[in-house]
Amino acid sequence: MIIPYQKFEFIIEAIDELNLPYYKGSTFRGGFGNVFRRIVCALRSQDCNDCMLRSKCIYAYVFETSPEYHPKKSNDPSGTPGMVFQNNSAIMNMHKYEKIPHPFVIEPPEGNLKTCPPGERLNFNLILVGRAVEYIPYFVYTFDELGSIGIGRGRGRYKLLMVKKADARKLVYSLKDKTLRQTDPDYLELLEDFKPSGIMNSLSMRFITPLRIKYNRDLVVTPEFHILIRALLRRLGLLYYFHCGNKKSEWDHKSIINHAMKVEIKSSSFKWLDWERYSSRQDARMRLGGIVGEITYHGDIKPFLPIIQAGEILHIGKNTSFGLGRYEII
């Protein structure tokens, strides 16, 4: 299994005072979604499910793709690549869900700072997965436009100074020349032939942003190792299928999960963190709490490391497009 991705660092500078909530992921993701639709959507007043243009719409692919009609690569030279619909509702029980995983993650600025004075800089990250890496020009342009409209309470404006490739620090975009530079994707290579090592060791993880994983229909407050692995297998498998070429993973889920159930929790320290966001589409406030903290597992960890390291980049659980489910191996 090979998952192409790119991680970018966006650097902005406040023009006005920016008044931001405690968790800034909802502000950046919500503002981005509204401006993105305004830029690329031809029929903004329609619901995507009823729109005759959805098979050619980047917004529908990035934000509104349904598992019942997911785009695949087109062989028609007159068509837009990646925009031919097919029925995929049976893939990994996706008929139970309305939307497939978004092919992007926004990691908001870290820290508890709620007020950013004019001239102050903020950094946030954007991760694009699979075919979405081709659309980085749209993301850059949208965040640039969002700056002129404003974000947060009072609609504080900012200017997009530059975009860099997060790992190599390669310049992708600069306000000085307004030129977008091409970058090559990175790749997550995950072996699908799972083999236990028989070596017992420990693994410690720190969950940085709220983790929202459901198991047996309830949100998990202490993630057993097998629950963590179940969530990672599902997320990586769906991202791979829907955004990287419509191929199913060949993981033996039952064998992997049975082995994961033998790994125990050595220690854990979590707290529940509640935060709210306003959804303009639903015209309602939504509470999206989750756990943050640290946990140490003990057992045959080594065979699971590639999967866990992939999740370290692509996040885990619900609401990852807001930046939730971010963790690091410590």
Side-chain angles (χ1 to χ4, degrees), residues 18-77:
L18 303 182
N19 294 295
L20 303 171
Y22 171 79
Y23 187 74
K24 304 167 185 63
S26 60
T27 299
F28 282 88
R29 194 271 194 187
F32 168 81
N34 291 331
V35 177
F36 189 56
R37 180 166 190 168
R38 192 192 71 184
I39 290 172
V40 304
C41 180
L43 304 174
R44 301 169 199 164
S45 61
Q46 293 194 15
D47 186 280
C48 289
N49 291 329
D50 302 323
C51 182
M52 63 183 294
L53 302 179
R54 65 178 180 174
S55 64
K56 303 294 182 182
C57 180
I58 297 174
Y59 177 83
Y61 169 62
V62 171
F63 270 89
E64 301 289 348
T65 308
S66 166
E68 283 76 19
Y69 297 97
H70 177 71
K72 69 176 181 178
K73 196 163 186 177
S74 171
N75 293 321
D76 181 359

Side-chain angles (χ1 to χ4, degrees), residues 134-259:
E134 303 171 13
Y135 301 140
I136 182 59
Y138 291 92
F139 282 81
V140 172
Y141 181 73
T142 300
F143 277 115
D144 187 53
E145 281 291 297
L146 179 59
S148 64
I149 295 171
I151 60 173
R153 184 165 48 87
R155 294 291 182 185
R157 296 170 300 153
Y158 67 81
K159 52 187 176 183
L160 178 59
L161 296 182
M162 65 184 69
V163 180
K164 298 180 179 180
K165 192 169 181 182
D167 53 354
R169 310 295 294 176
K170 179 181 179 181
L171 187 65
V172 176
Y173 169 84
S174 172
L175 177 63
K176 293 181 180 180
D177 57 21
K178 291 187 176 293
T179 299
L180 196 66
R181 297 162 179 83
Q182 183 69 35
T183 59
D184 296 323
D186 297 306
Y187 297 91
L188 291 170
E189 297 188 28
L190 300 170
L191 295 178
E192 295 167 271
D193 184 14
F194 182 85
K195 295 181 180 179
S197 70
I199 301 173
M200 306 296 283
N201 45 36
S202 296
L203 171 73
S204 296
M205 303 168 64
R206 177 185 296 120
F207 290 91
I208 302 168
T209 59
L211 172 67
R212 292 170 55 82
I213 294 179
K214 279 192 173 183
Y215 183 65
N216 289 336
R217 300 184 179 182
D218 292 324
L219 285 171
V220 173
V221 293
T222 303
E224 298 283 346
F225 191 72
H226 72 93
I227 296 176
L228 183 83
I229 295 302
R230 288 173 194 265
L232 284 170
L233 290 176
R234 179 173 181 79
R235 174 160 172 77
L236 295 174
L238 291 175
L239 286 173
Y240 177 62
Y241 181 83
F242 285 109
H243 301 298
C244 304
N246 303 104
K247 295 180 180 179
K248 293 183 182 180
S249 72
E250 296 182 4
W251 280 320
D252 183 344
H253 286 70
K254 184 176 181 180
S255 174
I256 295 174
I257 291 169
N258 285 340
H259 191 66

